[in-house]
Amino acid sequence: EGTAGGQAEDQGCDCVRFSMLETIREYGREQLAAAGETEQTQRRHALYYLQFAEGAAEHLQGPDQLRWLQRLDGELPNLRGALAWQPPAGAEQGAADDLLEDKLRVAGKLFLYWHLRGRYTEAITWLNALLALPGADAPTAGRAFALAAAAALKASTGDNTTVYAQGNEALAIARRLDDPRTLANALHILGT
């Protein structure tokens, strides 16, 4: 069913997705910029979709797997936007660090999604880009999850040197943090 300037589309997973005409989207962007709310809106968008993806990743094993795979498929453009968005220079450092940690953790937890959908190249590209960002070298749970996922995905390429280096770094971080979930994840990837 149409809406004012857009379309409602059944996603086949008990959810409806709304889209809008590009001219209306552009007008909305212009109005956000004129009101000085672009950065705040982009930050909220990124945080919302990172939180959505992290929750979805928890459902990728079990009876609702197909439904959650479909939901992630439908939200992939938004998720890509969330992973790509960077706060402008001069933004509050603590908030930028928290956002980076969220991105690393979520990207790592989406390993199963990317694996099941055969999106190895895209996943490795995102993980490499996130791991190379300034501040991403801090020994956090997010870094450990991202390293473990990158190692698991690169295992299929035969790059064993990188696989072991990233897997062992993830394991060292997990042990340092004394975080059982992160430790189990790193051990699982190395064991596999």
Side-chain angles (χ1 to χ4, degrees):
E1 183 175 323
T3 60
Q7 294 287 342
E9 178 183 332
D10 183 1
Q11 294 290 294
C13 56
D14 299 331
C15 53
V16 176
R17 181 170 181 75
F18 293 93
S19 62
M20 65 179 70
L21 297 173
E22 189 57 36
T23 53
I24 293 174
R25 183 185 316 268
E26 189 57 38
Y27 175 77
R29 285 187 186 125
E30 290 171 7
Q31 295 304 303
L32 282 173
E37 296 180 9
T38 301
E39 180 187 343
Q40 180 182 14
T41 302
Q42 289 175 322
R43 177 180 297 283
R44 285 183 180 167
H45 176 273
L47 292 174
Y48 175 84
Y49 280 101
L50 291 171
Q51 187 176 44
F52 166 79
E54 187 166 20
E58 301 296 324
H59 297 284
L60 292 179
Q61 293 180 327
D64 291 333
Q65 180 185 63
L66 182 58
R67 184 164 90 71
W68 283 96
L69 285 169
Q70 290 171 335
R71 288 192 70 186
L72 281 166
D73 288 343
E75 297 299 343
L76 194 54
N78 283 312
L79 181 56
R80 288 173 178 146
L83 291 172
W85 184 72
Q86 294 295 322
E92 180 187 332
Q93 191 58 45
D97 292 344
D98 290 346
L99 179 65
L100 177 57
E101 175 67 5
D102 288 346
K103 288 180 183 184
L104 289 166
R105 186 181 64 251
V106 170
K109 287 184 176 184
L110 285 175
F111 162 77
L112 189 56
Y113 170 73
W114 282 322
H115 171 69
L116 292 170
R117 289 304 199 215
R119 297 180 182 275
Y120 295 97
T121 301
E122 179 177 10
I124 289 170
T125 301
W126 279 117
L127 289 161
N128 285 344
L130 291 169
L131 287 165
L133 288 172
D137 56 348
T140 64
R143 180 171 178 80
F145 267 97
L147 285 166
L153 290 160
K154 289 176 185 170
S156 65
T157 68
D159 183 2
N160 290 336
T161 303
T162 302
V163 170
Y164 288 117
Q166 289 182 323
N168 282 312
E169 183 181 349
L171 181 61
I173 292 170
R175 285 186 172 143
R176 183 181 203 186
L177 295 175
D178 197 25
D179 177 349
R181 184 172 179 173
T182 306
L183 182 64
N185 185 52
L187 287 169
H188 172 76
I189 296 304
L190 278 172
T192 301

